[in-house]
PDB file of all heavy atoms in Angstrom:
ATOM      1  N   GLU A 340     281.894  78.054  31.604  1.00 87.00           N
ATOM      2  CA  GLU A 340     280.473  78.472  31.753  1.00 87.00           C
ATOM      3  C   GLU A 340     279.714  78.228  30.447  1.00 87.00           C
ATOM      4  O   GLU A 340     280.261  78.253  29.352  1.00 87.00           O
ATOM      5  CB  GLU A 340     280.294  79.978  32.219  1.00 87.00           C
ATOM      6  CG  GLU A 340     280.956  80.076  33.585  1.00 87.00           C
ATOM      7  CD  GLU A 340     280.191  79.532  34.698  1.00 87.00           C
ATOM      8  OE1 GLU A 340     279.013  79.329  34.569  1.00 87.00           O
ATOM      9  OE2 GLU A 340     280.887  79.084  35.728  1.00 87.00           O
ATOM     10  N   ALA A 341     278.433  77.962  30.532  1.00 76.00           N
ATOM     11  CA  ALA A 341     277.606  77.786  29.399  1.00 76.00           C
ATOM     12  C   ALA A 341     277.698  79.015  28.479  1.00 76.00           C
ATOM     13  O   ALA A 341     277.653  80.149  28.950  1.00 76.00           O
ATOM     14  CB  ALA A 341     276.189  77.681  29.796  1.00 76.00           C
ATOM     15  N   VAL A 342     277.845  78.760  27.167  1.00 76.00           N
ATOM     16  CA  VAL A 342     277.884  79.951  26.235  1.00 76.00           C
ATOM     17  C   VAL A 342     276.598  80.632  26.197  1.00 76.00           C
ATOM     18  O   VAL A 342     275.506  80.040  26.237  1.00 76.00           O
ATOM     19  CB  VAL A 342     278.163  79.264  24.789  1.00 76.00           C
ATOM     20  CG1 VAL A 342     278.191  80.290  23.725  1.00 76.00           C
ATOM     21  CG2 VAL A 342     279.559  78.544  24.824  1.00 76.00           C
ATOM     22  N   ARG A 343     276.715  81.955  26.275  1.00 79.00           N
ATOM     23  CA  ARG A 343     275.477  82.863  26.271  1.00 79.00           C
ATOM     24  C   ARG A 343     275.681  84.066  25.390  1.00 79.00           C
ATOM     25  O   ARG A 343     276.821  84.458  25.052  1.00 79.00           O
ATOM     26  CB  ARG A 343     275.188  83.259  27.652  1.00 79.00           C
ATOM     27  CG  ARG A 343     276.254  84.124  28.326  1.00 79.00           C
ATOM     28  CD  ARG A 343     275.824  84.859  29.563  1.00 79.00           C
ATOM     29  NE  ARG A 343     276.924  85.580  30.147  1.00 79.00           N
ATOM     30  CZ  ARG A 343     277.289  86.852  29.840  1.00 79.00           C
ATOM     31  NH1 ARG A 343     276.661  87.473  28.840  1.00 79.00           N
ATOM     32  NH2 ARG A 343     278.269  87.483  30.427  1.00 79.00           N
ATOM     33  N   PRO A 344     274.625  84.649  24.989  1.00 79.00           N
ATOM     34  CA  PRO A 344     274.748  85.870  24.176  1.00 79.00           C
ATOM     35  C   PRO A 344     275.375  86.991  24.981  1.00 79.00           C
ATOM     36  O   PRO A 344     275.157  87.141  26.200  1.00 79.00           O
ATOM     37  CB  PRO A 344     273.273  86.184  23.743  1.00 79.00           C
ATOM     38  CG  PRO A 344     272.554  84.988  23.983  1.00 79.00           C
ATOM     39  CD  PRO A 344     273.285  84.309  25.175  1.00 79.00           C
ATOM     40  N   LEU A 345     276.149  87.869  24.354  1.00 85.00           N
ATOM     41  CA  LEU A 345     276.560  89.077  24.991  1.00 85.00           C
ATOM     42  C   LEU A 345     275.343  89.925  25.242  1.00 85.00           C
ATOM     43  O   LEU A 345     274.496  90.095  24.488  1.00 85.00           O
ATOM     44  CB  LEU A 345     277.499  89.880  24.104  1.00 85.00           C
ATOM     45  CG  LEU A 345     278.863  89.212  23.860  1.00 85.00           C
ATOM     46  CD1 LEU A 345     279.596  89.775  22.759  1.00 85.00           C
ATOM     47  CD2 LEU A 345     279.811  89.437  25.191  1.00 85.00           C
ATOM     48  N   THR A 346     275.293  90.577  26.541  1.00 85.00           N
ATOM     49  CA  THR A 346     274.252  91.352  26.815  1.00 85.00           C
ATOM     50  C   THR A 346     274.286  92.823  26.155  1.00 85.00           C
ATOM     51  O   THR A 346     275.363  93.204  25.650  1.00 85.00           O
ATOM     52  CB  THR A 346     274.209  91.569  28.377  1.00 85.00           C
ATOM     53  OG1 THR A 346     275.313  92.301  28.782  1.00 85.00           O
ATOM     54  CG2 THR A 346     274.142  90.244  29.113  1.00 85.00           C
ATOM     55  N   GLU A 347     273.271  93.523  26.259  1.00 82.00           N
ATOM     56  CA  GLU A 347     273.197  94.814  25.620  1.00 82.00           C
ATOM     57  C   GLU A 347     274.241  95.695  26.448  1.00 82.00           C
ATOM     58  O   GLU A 347     274.970  96.567  25.814  1.00 82.00           O
ATOM     59  CB  GLU A 347     271.804  95.481  25.735  1.00 82.00           C
ATOM     60  CG  GLU A 347     270.775  94.760  24.857  1.00 82.00           C
ATOM     61  CD  GLU A 347     269.417  95.552  24.905  1.00 82.00           C
ATOM     62  OE1 GLU A 347     269.383  96.640  25.461  1.00 82.00           O
ATOM     63  OE2 GLU A 347     268.535  95.011  24.186  1.00 82.00           O
ATOM     64  N   GLY A 348     274.342  95.587  27.739  1.00 86.00           N
ATOM     65  CA  GLY A 348     275.298  96.395  28.526  1.00 86.00           C
ATOM     66  C   GLY A 348     276.689  96.026  28.143  1.00 86.00           C
ATOM     67  O   GLY A 348     277.454  97.031  27.980  1.00 86.00           O
ATOM     68  N   GLU A 349     277.018  94.781  27.799  1.00 90.00           N
ATOM     69  CA  GLU A 349     278.347  94.419  27.383  1.00 90.00           C
ATOM     70  C   GLU A 349     278.631  94.924  26.018  1.00 90.00           C
ATOM     71  O   GLU A 349     279.860  95.478  25.750  1.00 90.00           O
ATOM     72  CB  GLU A 349     278.513  92.878  27.393  1.00 90.00           C
ATOM     73  CG  GLU A 349     278.493  92.237  28.892  1.00 90.00           C
ATOM     74  CD  GLU A 349     278.399  90.810  28.839  1.00 90.00           C
ATOM     75  OE1 GLU A 349     277.738  90.252  27.942  1.00 90.00           O
ATOM     76  OE2 GLU A 349     278.808  90.204  29.833  1.00 90.00           O
ATOM     77  N   LEU A 350     277.671  94.854  25.063  1.00 88.00           N
ATOM     78  CA  LEU A 350     277.931  95.370  23.795  1.00 88.00           C
ATOM     79  C   LEU A 350     278.082  96.925  23.895  1.00 88.00           C
ATOM     80  O   LEU A 350     278.874  97.517  23.091  1.00 88.00           O
ATOM     81  CB  LEU A 350     276.641  95.032  22.849  1.00 88.00           C
ATOM     82  CG  LEU A 350     276.753  93.520  22.570  1.00 88.00           C
ATOM     83  CD1 LEU A 350     275.442  93.188  21.694  1.00 88.00           C
ATOM     84  CD2 LEU A 350     277.926  93.159  21.645  1.00 88.00           C
ATOM     85  N   GLU A 351     277.401  97.548  24.643  1.00 86.00           N
ATOM     86  CA  GLU A 351     277.633  99.072  24.841  1.00 86.00           C
ATOM     87  C   GLU A 351     278.947  99.417  25.279  1.00 86.00           C
ATOM     88  O   GLU A 351     279.537 100.350  24.808  1.00 86.00           O
ATOM     89  CB  GLU A 351     276.435  99.644  25.852  1.00 86.00           C
ATOM     90  CG  GLU A 351     276.457 101.138  25.994  1.00 86.00           C
ATOM     91  CD  GLU A 351     275.427 101.636  26.937  1.00 86.00           C
ATOM     92  OE1 GLU A 351     274.615 100.796  27.368  1.00 86.00           O
ATOM     93  OE2 GLU A 351     275.415 102.883  27.184  1.00 86.00           O
ATOM     94  N   GLN A 352     279.487  98.600  26.289  1.00 87.00           N
ATOM     95  CA  GLN A 352     280.796  98.869  26.673  1.00 87.00           C
ATOM     96  C   GLN A 352     281.851  98.644  25.536  1.00 87.00           C
ATOM     97  O   GLN A 352     282.899  99.224  25.536  1.00 87.00           O
ATOM     98  CB  GLN A 352     281.186  97.959  27.769  1.00 87.00           C
ATOM     99  CG  GLN A 352     280.699  98.454  29.171  1.00 87.00           C
ATOM    100  CD  GLN A 352     281.509  99.641  29.725  1.00 87.00           C
ATOM    101  OE1 GLN A 352     282.731  99.470  29.818  1.00 87.00           O
ATOM    102  NE2 GLN A 352     280.833 100.673  29.924  1.00 87.00           N
ATOM    103  N   LEU A 353     281.496  97.833  24.605  1.00 90.00           N
ATOM    104  CA  LEU A 353     282.403  97.473  23.612  1.00 90.00           C
ATOM    105  C   LEU A 353     282.286  98.375  22.249  1.00 90.00           C
ATOM    106  O   LEU A 353     283.136  98.299  21.364  1.00 90.00           O
ATOM    107  CB  LEU A 353     282.216  96.088  22.969  1.00 90.00           C
ATOM    108  CG  LEU A 353     282.464  94.973  24.163  1.00 90.00           C
ATOM    109  CD1 LEU A 353     282.040  93.637  23.554  1.00 90.00           C
ATOM    110  CD2 LEU A 353     283.911  94.905  24.472  1.00 90.00           C
ATOM    111  N   ALA A 354     281.280  99.297  22.373  1.00 89.00           N
ATOM    112  CA  ALA A 354     281.051 100.096  21.174  1.00 89.00           C
ATOM    113  C   ALA A 354     282.278 100.947  20.723  1.00 89.00           C
ATOM    114  O   ALA A 354     282.449 101.126  19.513  1.00 89.00           O
ATOM    115  CB  ALA A 354     279.811 101.086  21.435  1.00 89.00           C
ATOM    116  N   PRO A 355     283.007 101.522  21.609  1.00 88.00           N
ATOM    117  CA  PRO A 355     284.143 102.298  21.122  1.00 88.00           C
ATOM    118  C   PRO A 355     285.157 101.535  20.249  1.00 88.00           C
ATOM    119  O   PRO A 355     285.872 102.179  19.514  1.00 88.00           O
ATOM    120  CB  PRO A 355     284.857 102.791  22.441  1.00 88.00           C
ATOM    121  CG  PRO A 355     283.777 102.782  23.469  1.00 88.00           C
ATOM    122  CD  PRO A 355     282.967 101.639  23.063  1.00 88.00           C
ATOM    123  N   ILE A 356     285.110 100.262  20.399  1.00 90.00           N
ATOM    124  CA  ILE A 356     286.069  99.476  19.479  1.00 90.00           C
ATOM    125  C   ILE A 356     285.766  99.625  18.063  1.00 90.00           C
ATOM    126  O   ILE A 356     286.633  99.572  17.150  1.00 90.00           O
ATOM    127  CB  ILE A 356     286.022  97.875  19.915  1.00 90.00           C
ATOM    128  CG1 ILE A 356     286.444  97.747  21.361  1.00 90.00           C
ATOM    129  CG2 ILE A 356     286.863  97.053  19.026  1.00 90.00           C
ATOM    130  CD1 ILE A 356     286.284  96.311  21.770  1.00 90.00           C
ATOM    131  N   GLU A 357     284.466  99.944  17.722  1.00 91.00           N
ATOM    132  CA  GLU A 357     284.179 100.168  16.315  1.00 91.00           C
ATOM    133  C   GLU A 357     284.938 101.379  15.783  1.00 91.00           C
ATOM    134  O   GLU A 357     285.032 101.668  14.541  1.00 91.00           O
ATOM    135  CB  GLU A 357     282.675 100.375  16.130  1.00 91.00           C
ATOM    136  CG  GLU A 357     281.777  99.092  16.345  1.00 91.00           C
ATOM    137  CD  GLU A 357     280.375  99.321  16.175  1.00 91.00           C
ATOM    138  OE1 GLU A 357     279.829 100.417  16.538  1.00 91.00           O
ATOM    139  OE2 GLU A 357     279.805  98.393  15.576  1.00 91.00           O
ATOM    140  N   GLU A 358     285.433 102.208  16.690  1.00 90.00           N
ATOM    141  CA  GLU A 358     286.028 103.568  16.303  1.00 90.00           C
ATOM    142  C   GLU A 358     287.632 103.307  16.151  1.00 90.00           C
ATOM    143  O   GLU A 358     288.263 104.335  15.911  1.00 90.00           O
ATOM    144  CB  GLU A 358     285.743 104.686  17.236  1.00 90.00           C
ATOM    145  CG  GLU A 358     284.271 104.813  17.488  1.00 90.00           C
ATOM    146  CD  GLU A 358     283.465 105.128  16.173  1.00 90.00           C
ATOM    147  OE1 GLU A 358     284.071 105.959  15.361  1.00 90.00           O
ATOM    148  OE2 GLU A 358     282.337 104.595  16.053  1.00 90.00           O
ATOM    149  N   VAL A 359     288.114 102.115  16.383  1.00 92.00           N
ATOM    150  CA  VAL A 359     289.592 101.965  16.341  1.00 92.00           C
ATOM    151  C   VAL A 359     290.009 102.175  14.817  1.00 92.00           C
ATOM    152  O   VAL A 359     289.405 101.564  13.979  1.00 92.00           O
ATOM    153  CB  VAL A 359     289.994 100.525  16.749  1.00 92.00           C
ATOM    154  CG1 VAL A 359     291.471 100.269  16.461  1.00 92.00           C
ATOM    155  CG2 VAL A 359     289.658 100.356  18.234  1.00 92.00           C
ATOM    156  N   PRO A 360     290.871 102.928  14.714  1.00 90.00           N
ATOM    157  CA  PRO A 360     291.396 103.303  13.205  1.00 90.00           C
ATOM    158  C   PRO A 360     291.744 102.119  12.344  1.00 90.00           C
ATOM    159  O   PRO A 360     292.254 101.156  12.938  1.00 90.00           O
ATOM    160  CB  PRO A 360     292.535 104.289  13.418  1.00 90.00           C
ATOM    161  CG  PRO A 360     292.490 104.821  14.746  1.00 90.00           C
ATOM    162  CD  PRO A 360     291.858 103.706  15.535  1.00 90.00           C
ATOM    163  N   GLY A 361     291.491 102.207  11.098  1.00 87.00           N
ATOM    164  CA  GLY A 361     291.812 101.153  10.267  1.00 87.00           C
ATOM    165  C   GLY A 361     293.356 100.807  10.057  1.00 87.00           C
ATOM    166  O   GLY A 361     293.769  99.746   9.641  1.00 87.00           O
ATOM    167  N   GLU A 362     294.191 101.795  10.464  1.00 89.00           N
ATOM    168  CA  GLU A 362     295.648 101.558  10.485  1.00 89.00           C
ATOM    169  C   GLU A 362     296.102 100.553  11.477  1.00 89.00           C
ATOM    170  O   GLU A 362     297.157  99.992  11.395  1.00 89.00           O
ATOM    171  CB  GLU A 362     296.384 102.952  10.732  1.00 89.00           C
ATOM    172  CG  GLU A 362     296.150 104.003   9.718  1.00 89.00           C
ATOM    173  CD  GLU A 362     294.884 104.927   9.975  1.00 89.00           C
ATOM    174  OE1 GLU A 362     294.070 104.478  10.823  1.00 89.00           O
ATOM    175  OE2 GLU A 362     294.799 105.971   9.381  1.00 89.00           O
ATOM    176  N   ILE A 363     295.162 100.349  12.494  1.00 93.00           N
ATOM    177  CA  ILE A 363     295.536  99.351  13.602  1.00 93.00           C
ATOM    178  C   ILE A 363     295.053  97.946  13.323  1.00 93.00           C
ATOM    179  O   ILE A 363     295.875  97.074  13.401  1.00 93.00           O
ATOM    180  CB  ILE A 363     295.055  99.838  14.895  1.00 93.00           C
ATOM    181  CG1 ILE A 363     295.560 101.274  15.232  1.00 93.00           C
ATOM    182  CG2 ILE A 363     295.371  98.951  16.076  1.00 93.00           C
ATOM    183  CD1 ILE A 363     297.162 101.330  15.352  1.00 93.00           C
ATOM    184  N   LEU A 364     293.775  97.747  13.003  1.00 90.00           N
ATOM    185  CA  LEU A 364     293.277  96.613  12.785  1.00 90.00           C
ATOM    186  C   LEU A 364     293.150  96.188  11.270  1.00 90.00           C
ATOM    187  O   LEU A 364     293.183  97.132  10.342  1.00 90.00           O
ATOM    188  CB  LEU A 364     291.739  96.572  13.222  1.00 90.00           C
ATOM    189  CG  LEU A 364     291.597  96.787  14.814  1.00 90.00           C
ATOM    190  CD1 LEU A 364     290.179  96.826  15.162  1.00 90.00           C
ATOM    191  CD2 LEU A 364     292.331  95.830  15.568  1.00 90.00           C
TER     192      LEU A 364
END
Side-chain angles (χ1 to χ4, degrees):
E340 294 291 328
V342 175
R343 63 168 177 81
L345 289 164
T346 66
E347 291 186 7
E349 289 169 331
L350 289 172
E351 183 178 353
Q352 278 287 301
L353 298 172
I356 296 176
E357 292 184 320
E358 307 304 319
V359 174
E362 296 89 343
I363 301 302
L364 300 177

